Amino acid sequence: MKEIVVPSSSHTYSVWIGEGLLKNVSKYLQKEYSSIFVITDDVVEKLYLQTLLESLPKVHKAVAVVAAGEQSKNITTYYRLQTEAIEAGLDRNSLIIALGGGVVGDIAGFVAATYMRGIDYIQVPTTVLAHDSSVGGKVAINHEQGKNLIGSFYPPAAVLYDVDTLATLPPQEIRSGYAEIVKEALISDKEAFERLLQVNLHDLTKEELQEHLSFGIEVKTAIVTADEKEKGERKFLNLGHTLGHAIETELQYQLLKHGEAVAVGLLFSLFVSEDLFQADVSFSKLYGWLSDNGYPLPAEMLDPEILLKRMKTDKKAQAGKVQMVLLKDIGQPTTAVLDDEQIVHYIKRFRERLVRG
Amino acid sequence: MKEIVVPSSSHTYSVWIGEGLLKNVSKYLQKEYSSIFVITDDVVEKLYLQTLLESLPKVHKAVAVVAAGEQSKNITTYYRLQTEAIEAGLDRNSLIIALGGGVVGDIAGFVAATYMRGIDYIQVPTTVLAHDSSVGGKVAINHEQGKNLIGSFYPPAAVLYDVDTLATLPPQEIRSGYAEIVKEALISDKEAFERLLQVNLHDLTKEELQEHLSFGIEVKTAIVTADEKEKGERKFLNLGHTLGHAIETELQYQLLKHGEAVAVGLLFSLFVSEDLFQADVSFSKLYGWLSDNGYPLPAEMLDPEILLKRMKTDKKAQAGKVQMVLLKDIGQPTTAVLDDEQIVHYIKRFRERLVRG
């Protein structure tokens, strides 16, 4: 069992990573709650809900289930969860548990952040991807005009990461999660990046998985500790996300998983960085690794004008211009504001590069 | 011009109270914003929007107007305001200005708290009632099952209280606002309470108004400074609100203004306090003053069973039981958890008392 301690402006909390956590949730609760409200999705429900419920203390419990997938992160589902929380009799001393991937964590966290002006919640991530979203307190829902546009900074009371739950993940989910781990390496640690590119995602051991998850969470923890509210370096965690979010929004969260869209965004960031800074930041290496590991890199969906418009509603946009995270070198992220023409130009050239293969 | 400084966990902000503020808003902005989004209602819009807009710096501006009245504090209006903010191109360096009463302040504040995970906002209250809601950072919308059930603690960047805007208020609005000032006196200061009961609301000077507002804000500031997140004494500010909110919700925010419903709640709290603590907390005096000043005290709407159900979804409820703020003496608030039977019993007897007159 590994414990990573995350300080935040309101309180300090622990991320526990290991096996068998789901069966022992009670042990990790720091106080007595009047009632517990579990929010999960209809896929995770069948796999792990029962185990979780049996491991909880004997107080009043209720469960809400959302449809699996990014589409659930909308205002209608958010309001329905608020209604169910009220009807379940949750009060200010109640606990919400988010059992699932990033979607469940984000929406359940935002419900907790705003239910009666904020109650405790615990993240129980069941995907690799959620290692990223479950730490750092960013919670949100999507607006049809952009991802995560409505949300709060609201850190959890704890994160319980049971690696046993990752055994059932389909390859697409593994890929999606690893894109964020690659991102964490790219912005922090050249050697870790090189080691990661040795990994074959089709053939991953439990030990490797646990090691990579811990690495990703440690990178993230260091950054959010230094800059909780994203005034400075926390922005770097958005490497690959400006284009990634634009693609996701344009595809209405279909076809590509979040991390798969981020992978395209990461590659684009390296493409732009190499041109803008005349530096080698391993574009070709990453391109090779993504291809080898089955990441979809569909050139045809890269419409420059449409994506530019989407990128301009990104939260990092400044006075109407796109702000991207780029790399001067691996481990040396920076931000740059790009003109509309530059963005269009780079997307066109990037698309050509992908078509060439 | 009076300045009251309010510390909060995230930053310290000033409440300015005086004349001519609306014409000089630029002077009170602490930083340069990329754009400004004004949220107001359709009554205040006609009276003060133009003056406000002319006093703002020359950056991109947009305006959103909601229907006046508590019904606007709902999820649909909230989401529409988020959409308008996105379409107006607001980014993380933008400012929201809440121009209006408590409804506008609460919903605009909650939009600011959750737009891109939080941007700055300024309260420009235009009612007496809003002296209470504009200070302390509580922002929220209503759920159909209860008032302010969805919200955040999110303090403003400043509060600009232009007393000139209070000149146009109808008597009902003055009454509504003064109920909160009476509450602030009841929980803190016997002499201030006695002085307030000398006031005739039909015949109020500008100096009295300014003095009473400052008194109310100072009481509130002292309490929220000591207990920002309502773990303890901030609860006392809810004196009169448990029944008040129940009445409002039951009436669907029609017929009675918020402060008028609170006035009924205050009287009920004194009624219960006198019986439970066998103390004289001026029930009869307050009853007389409310009657003299035209507060509606409609016994017929006090249905014990219906109100009990509503009171149990109050945010202060604990494990399904009603928690009320009561007074051991004037200036000595306390909380008590009451059984369902007690609540029903007291509402019945209170109703009989009002019928008797």
Side-chain angles (χ1 to χ4, degrees):
Chain A
M1 192 69 57
K2 179 154 182 140
E3 181 187 11
I4 299 171
V5 174
V6 187
S8 85
S9 61
S10 57
H11 62 281
T12 293
Y13 59 97
S14 292
V15 181
W16 299 93
I17 310 167
E19 300 172 48
L21 272 162
L22 204 58
K23 291 180 189 143
N24 291 292
V25 172
S26 285
K27 271 205 236 168
Y28 296 89
L29 301 186
Q30 300 272 328
K31 58 179 201 182
E32 282 185 33
Y33 292 101
S34 59
S35 55
I36 299 178
F37 185 54
V38 180
I39 299 177
T40 189
D41 71 36
D42 54 6
V43 172
V44 176
E45 176 194 13
K46 293 179 188 70
L47 297 167
Y48 305 116
L49 179 62
Q50 200 52 41
T51 311
L52 174 71
L53 288 176
E54 283 166 11
S55 83
L56 294 178
K58 292 196 191 331
V59 295
H60 172 66
K61 291 179 208 57
V63 175
V65 180
V66 304
E70 187 76 29
Q71 277 105 329
S72 285
K73 260 176 68 177
N74 62 47
I75 192 85
T76 309
T77 307
Y78 166 76
Y79 195 67
R80 173 170 71 77
L81 292 172
Q82 292 280 3
T83 305
E84 291 189 32
I86 295 166
E87 287 171 353
L90 260 66
D91 63 27
R92 285 179 168 167
N93 296 311
S94 298
L95 173 72
I96 288 178
I97 295 181
L99 173 69
V103 168
V104 165
D106 278 3
I107 193 167
F110 190 47
V111 170
T114 54
Y115 184 77
M116 296 188 173
R117 298 200 182 89
I119 62 173
D120 278 4
Y121 75 110
I122 285 179
Q123 298 271 17
V124 183
T126 59
T127 65
V128 178
L129 184 65
H131 84 274
D132 182 48
S133 53
S134 64
V135 177
K138 276 193 181 180
V139 295
I141 55 173
N142 301 326
H143 189 280
E144 55 259 51
Q145 297 193 31
K147 198 172 150 91
N148 295 335
L149 288 182
I150 303 177
S152 304
F153 290 98
Y154 196 76
V159 180
L160 306 181
Y161 216 137
D162 188 334
V163 294
D164 292 336
T165 62
L166 306 176
T168 52
L169 288 176
Q172 197 187 21
E173 280 291 350
I174 300 280
R175 275 200 297 272
S176 181
Y178 266 78
E180 296 285 4
I181 301 179
V182 168
K183 175 200 77 180
E184 282 140 0
L186 278 169
I187 61 174
S188 70
D189 188 335
K190 197 165 191 163
E191 279 177 33
F193 174 71
E194 301 285 350
R195 277 199 309 276
L196 262 179
L197 290 206
Q198 306 303 317
V199 172
N200 179 346
L201 296 188
H202 303 300
D203 183 26
L204 212 52
T205 68
K206 213 171 190 172
E207 289 67 34
E208 282 178 313
L209 195 55
Q210 198 158 338
E211 182 198 324
H212 297 147
L213 283 176
S214 299
F215 164 77
I217 290 172
E218 278 166 353
V219 170
K220 175 130 194 195
T221 298
I223 291 177
V224 301
T225 302
D227 176 28
E228 186 179 13
K229 299 285 171 70
E230 197 163 325
K231 304 288 181 195
E233 65 182 287
R234 186 165 181 167
K235 277 185 193 162
F236 300 149
L237 288 167
N238 293 309
L239 183 75
H241 283 65
T242 308
L243 184 66
H245 282 171
I247 291 173
E248 278 188 285
T249 308
E250 194 50 36
L251 293 177
Q252 297 182 297
Y253 311 105
Q254 306 282 5
L255 301 174
L256 293 191
K257 291 273 167 193
H258 171 68
E260 292 177 325
V262 168
V264 180
L266 289 175
L267 198 59
F268 180 64
S269 298
L270 299 194
F271 184 79
V272 175
S273 298
E274 292 204 342
D275 186 83
L276 214 57
F277 304 132
Q278 294 293 310
D280 175 9
V281 289
S282 301
F283 171 84
S284 298
K285 270 192 207 166
L286 182 63
Y287 190 11
W289 184 82
L290 293 174
S291 305
D292 293 347
N293 284 282
Y295 283 84
L297 300 168
E300 68 281 4
M301 70 177 54
L302 297 171
D303 183 306
E305 295 295 341
I306 288 175
L307 292 175
L308 169 68
K309 187 164 168 273
R310 293 285 182 196
M311 288 166 92
K312 289 166 88 166
T313 56
D314 185 88
K315 291 189 294 305
K316 289 181 303 307
Q318 281 195 344
K321 286 193 176 177
V322 175
Q323 186 180 185
M324 279 183 73
V325 182
L326 298 173
L327 293 182
K328 289 187 167 172
D329 195 355
I330 295 176
Q332 287 184 32
T334 183
T335 56
V337 174
L338 279 82
D339 287 339
D340 292 4
E341 297 71 30
Q342 279 179 295
I343 294 289
V344 168
H345 165 78
Y346 279 126
I347 295 177
K348 277 185 189 162
R349 282 185 47 209
F350 179 60
R351 185 174 58 185
E352 287 158 18
R353 180 70 181 77
L354 294 187
V355 169
R356 242 180 19 250
Chain B
M1 192 70 57
K2 179 157 184 138
E3 181 187 11
I4 300 171
V5 175
V6 187
S8 84
S9 61
S10 57
H11 62 279
T12 292
Y13 58 98
S14 293
V15 181
W16 298 94
I17 311 166
E19 298 173 49
L21 273 162
L22 204 58
K23 292 180 188 143
N24 292 291
V25 172
S26 285
K27 271 205 236 170
Y28 297 89
L29 301 186
Q30 301 271 328
K31 60 180 199 183
E32 282 184 33
Y33 292 101
S34 58
S35 56
I36 298 177
F37 186 53
V38 179
I39 299 177
T40 189
D41 72 37
D42 54 7
V43 172
V44 176
E45 177 195 13
K46 292 180 189 71
L47 297 167
Y48 305 116
L49 178 63
Q50 201 51 41
T51 311
L52 173 71
L53 288 175
E54 283 166 13
S55 83
L56 294 178
K58 291 194 193 330
V59 295
H60 173 64
K61 290 177 208 63
V63 175
V65 180
V66 304
E70 188 76 29
Q71 276 105 331
S72 285
K73 261 176 68 177
N74 61 48
I75 192 84
T76 309
T77 307
Y78 166 76
Y79 195 67
R80 172 170 72 78
L81 291 173
Q82 292 279 3
T83 305
E84 291 189 32
I86 294 165
E87 288 172 353
L90 261 65
D91 64 25
R92 285 180 169 167
N93 296 313
S94 298
L95 173 72
I96 288 178
I97 296 181
L99 173 67
V103 168
V104 165
D106 277 3
I107 192 167
F110 190 47
V111 170
T114 54
Y115 183 76
M116 296 189 173
R117 298 201 182 87
I119 63 173
D120 278 4
Y121 76 110
I122 285 179
Q123 297 272 16
V124 183
T126 59
T127 64
V128 177
L129 184 65
H131 84 274
D132 181 49
S133 53
S134 64
V135 176
K138 277 194 181 180
V139 295
I141 54 173
N142 301 326
H143 188 281
E144 55 258 52
Q145 296 194 31
K147 198 171 152 90
N148 295 333
L149 288 182
I150 302 177
S152 304
F153 290 98
Y154 195 76
V159 181
L160 306 182
Y161 215 137
D162 189 334
V163 292
D164 292 337
T165 62
L166 306 177
T168 52
L169 290 175
Q172 198 186 22
E173 280 291 350
I174 299 279
R175 274 200 298 271
S176 180
Y178 265 79
E180 295 286 4
I181 302 178
V182 167
K183 174 200 78 180
E184 281 140 0
L186 279 170
I187 61 175
S188 69
D189 188 334
K190 196 164 191 164
E191 279 176 35
F193 173 71
E194 302 284 351
R195 277 199 307 276
L196 263 179
L197 290 207
Q198 306 302 318
V199 171
N200 179 347
L201 296 187
H202 304 299
D203 181 27
L204 211 52
T205 69
K206 213 170 189 173
E207 288 67 36
E208 282 178 313
L209 195 56
Q210 196 158 340
E211 182 199 323
H212 297 147
L213 283 176
S214 299
F215 164 76
I217 291 172
E218 279 166 353
V219 170
K220 176 132 193 193
T221 298
I223 291 176
V224 301
T225 302
D227 176 27
E228 187 179 10
K229 299 285 170 69
E230 196 164 325
K231 304 287 181 196
E233 65 181 286
R234 186 165 181 168
K235 276 184 194 163
F236 299 148
L237 288 167
N238 293 309
L239 183 75
H241 283 65
T242 308
L243 183 65
H245 282 171
I247 292 173
E248 279 188 286
T249 308
E250 194 51 35
L251 292 177
Q252 298 182 296
Y253 310 106
Q254 305 283 6
L255 300 175
L256 292 191
K257 291 275 165 191
H258 172 67
E260 291 177 325
V262 168
V264 180
L266 289 175
L267 199 57
F268 180 64
S269 299
L270 300 195
F271 184 80
V272 176
S273 299
E274 293 204 341
D275 186 82
L276 215 56
F277 304 131
Q278 294 292 311
D280 175 9
V281 289
S282 301
F283 170 84
S284 299
K285 270 192 206 167
L286 181 63
Y287 189 13
W289 185 81
L290 292 174
S291 305
D292 292 347
N293 284 282
Y295 284 82
L297 300 168
E300 67 280 5
M301 69 177 54
L302 298 170
D303 182 306
E305 295 295 342
I306 289 175
L307 292 174
L308 169 68
K309 186 163 167 276
R310 294 284 182 196
M311 289 166 91
K312 288 167 91 166
T313 57
D314 184 87
K315 292 190 293 305
K316 290 181 303 306
Q318 282 195 344
K321 284 195 179 175
V322 175
Q323 185 181 185
M324 278 184 75
V325 182
L326 297 173
L327 293 182
K328 289 187 167 172
D329 195 354
I330 295 176
Q332 288 184 33
T334 185
T335 56
V337 173
L338 279 83
D339 287 340
D340 293 2
E341 297 71 31
Q342 279 178 296
I343 294 288
V344 168
H345 164 77
Y346 279 126
I347 295 178
K348 277 186 188 164
R349 281 186 46 208
F350 179 59
R351 186 173 58 184
E352 287 159 16
R353 180 69 181 80
L354 294 187
V355 170
R356 238 176 28 245

